[in-house]
Amino acid sequence: EEFCKMLPKVELHAHINGSVSESTIEKLVATKQKLDHQFSFKKGSTATLKECFEKFRLIHQLTDNVDAVYQVTYDVIQEFCDDNVRYLELRSTPREVTETGMTKELYVDAVLRAIRDCEAENLDIEVKLLLAIDRRNGVQVGQDTVKLAQKFRESHPDLVVGIDLSGDPSVGDGRDFIPVFKEAKDFGLKLALHLCEVPALQETMDLLCLPPDRIGHGTCLHPEAGGTQEFVDTVLTHKTPLELCLTSNLIGQTVPDLDNHQFKFWYEKQHPCIICTDDKGVFSTSLTEEYQLAAVTFDLSPNDLWRLSLDSMNYAFCEEHLKEKLREKWKAAKPGME
Ligand code: 5GP
């Protein structure tokens, strides 16, 4: 509804290549002539996680050069801003493509240029970047990603804020990356890790004990979803915030239906929950729609939604003074204040 659209919002879990809108895809396809794939899932459809990752592979074929990476990042920021997102953390996996001469450094450089150019336009949005480690690519690549993040943090200390762990959760063992995460942490980079998207009893406890600064999804942490009470207690003890993406989990079928989404479990415990889109392009959604969906599914009032979005600012990976400045924007939007 109108309220969710007008509400200032905070997006903390958005993969750049999964956030690409249809209109940006059309621009990119036009530069490539062929390709008639379907890049996103229609509303209400379901898929397997494997099919979700197939979409990312298709999009990656379009974003195989620095101009496309720049364009995608630039458009994604504009679209989040149009949706009244006032603070945005993007995450992306640095990629190299030999044929186009794109190195991982040029990839990150293109993303950062797009962020800077949006900044120069004085858009009403603050943007930060996390570099993502794709677990499919192994520990050495993870190590290189942290090095790259350290390097770019030196040149852009206000923009490069953290490290993400993502990629197909059924591949590899997250524990292998622990030394890499510790190094990132020592360097002042924050950790946002995809954890327990699918039941993962082996790696979860060790990763939870790092502890990460935020958890992506955490779909199967609680006993009813295949997790354990110990996982739950650890998350509660550390007060580790959860980034929750309703539509993504529904389409990807990591939850049976929304009534059984983990949001309910954690929200009832008054645990920090952040509503996010994950991949607004691939899952044909927006942060406004995710708030609406949460409102309808979990019977949240405008005041509850306002509180959720304002509280999300607490878990952002940015300086306290920026949080304080941004919180001002919520005052005028408080239900009953208009
Ligand atoms: P990129 O990092 O290329 O900007 O965005 C796409 C990538 O994000 C995918 O290849 C995948 O590694 C990661 N990703 C996007 N959505 C999800 C998700 O729901 N779960 C996991 N584990 N990874 C995801």
Side-chain angles (χ1 to χ4, degrees):
E1 58 177 48
E2 195 57 15
F3 176 78
C4 292
K5 171 79 195 205
M6 294 316 295
L7 184 66
K9 289 175 288 295
V10 176
E11 170 63 81
L12 299 184
H13 189 126
H15 300 270
I16 292 182
N17 281 281
S19 300
V20 190
S21 64
E22 294 231 340
S23 67
T24 303
I25 292 276
E26 278 166 22
K27 283 187 228 171
L28 297 179
V29 170
T31 67
K32 292 243 171 197
Q33 39 1 105
K34 52 174 180 80
L35 292 159
D36 49 5
H37 300 293
Q38 186 69 41
F39 290 90
S40 57
F41 295 104
K42 298 236 158 12
K43 282 189 200 314
S45 62
T46 51
T48 60
L49 272 190
K50 198 163 164 278
E51 287 166 324
C52 294
F53 284 105
E54 176 60 18
K55 298 283 189 216
F56 301 132
R57 201 183 60 78
L58 291 174
I59 294 170
H60 283 160
Q61 289 177 359
L62 292 177
T63 57
D64 65 351
N65 62 86
V66 286
D67 292 341
V69 170
Y70 174 92
Q71 181 76 61
V72 161
T73 309
Y74 182 89
D75 287 1
V76 164
I77 295 170
Q78 302 276 336
E79 289 154 2
F80 273 116
C81 187
D82 285 345
D83 195 31
N84 290 324
V85 171
R86 295 293 163 243
Y87 178 85
L88 167 65
E89 283 178 15
L90 291 173
R91 55 185 76 190
S92 198
T93 324
R95 240 175 325 127
E96 70 189 346
V97 180
T98 320
E99 300 82 61
T100 65
M102 182 165 75
T103 62
K104 291 185 180 185
E105 298 210 352
L106 288 173
Y107 182 101
V108 178
D109 177 70
V111 170
L112 291 171
R113 270 190 293 119
I115 297 177
R116 285 283 187 234
D117 286 353
C118 288
E119 239 174 36
E121 287 178 33
N122 281 320
L123 294 183
D124 195 2
I125 187 167
E126 290 284 339
V127 186
K128 307 286 172 198
L129 179 67
L130 283 73
L131 294 192
I133 295 175
D134 185 331
R135 50 190 294 154
R136 288 168 292 196
N137 296 335
V139 177
Q140 186 52 53
V141 172
Q143 182 76 52
D144 296 346
T145 308
V146 169
K147 288 261 170 334
L148 203 59
Q150 290 176 351
K151 180 180 166 231
F152 278 99
R153 192 170 159 79
E154 274 163 16
S155 54
H156 300 73
D158 58 326
L159 295 190
V160 181
V161 295
I163 290 288
D164 146 284
L165 173 70
S166 52
D168 189 340
S170 65
V171 176
D173 188 326
R175 284 174 292 190
D176 297 343
F177 294 88
I178 287 177
V180 175
F181 296 142
K182 288 201 164 140
E183 193 190 328
K185 231 173 150 63
D186 287 344
F187 201 77
L189 290 159
K190 301 280 189 185
L191 299 176
L193 310 182
H194 284 62
L195 273 184
C196 242
E197 269 178 286
V198 294
L201 295 173
Q202 306 294 333
E203 65 177 34
T204 301
M205 200 57 199
D206 289 347
L207 290 171
L208 285 179
C209 287
L210 273 165
D213 297 284
R214 296 194 311 248
I215 294 170
H217 304 298
T219 323
C220 306
L221 287 167
H222 56 299
E224 295 87 332
T228 68
Q229 190 56 42
E230 210 189 348
F231 293 170
V232 173
D233 292 341
T234 307
V235 174
L236 291 173
T237 305
H238 292 297
K239 298 194 171 62
T240 315
L242 290 161
E243 305 155 353
L244 302 173
C245 314
L246 300 178
T247 300
S248 164
N249 295 161
L250 197 62
I251 292 184
Q253 299 186 84
T254 52
V255 293
D257 51 52
L258 284 184
D259 290 329
N260 288 293
H261 193 277
Q262 68 274 21
F263 177 90
K264 193 176 159 71
F265 178 88
W266 295 100
Y267 188 72
E268 281 174 356
K269 294 190 162 40
Q270 299 185 349
H271 187 77
C273 292
I274 310 148
I275 294 183
C276 305
T277 54
D278 206 7
D279 301 286
K280 72 175 179 57
V282 166
F283 298 124
S284 303
T285 188
S286 65
L287 195 53
T288 290
E289 288 172 85
E290 295 302 300
Y291 270 79
Q292 268 175 286
L293 199 56
V296 171
T297 312
F298 307 111
D299 196 21
L300 305 177
S301 69
N303 208 47
D304 297 333
L305 297 173
W306 181 84
R307 192 30 73 193
L308 262 174
S309 89
L310 174 61
D311 283 351
S312 300
M313 213 49 243
N314 299 343
Y315 319 121
F317 295 162
C318 69
E319 308 263 318
E320 194 53 43
H321 67 85
L322 178 59
K323 295 185 186 183
E324 269 310 307
K325 190 181 112 191
L326 287 170
R327 285 187 185 111
E328 291 294 314
K329 296 185 190 291
W330 269 260
K331 286 191 180 155
K334 192 166 169 44
M337 295 295 282
E338 62 281 348

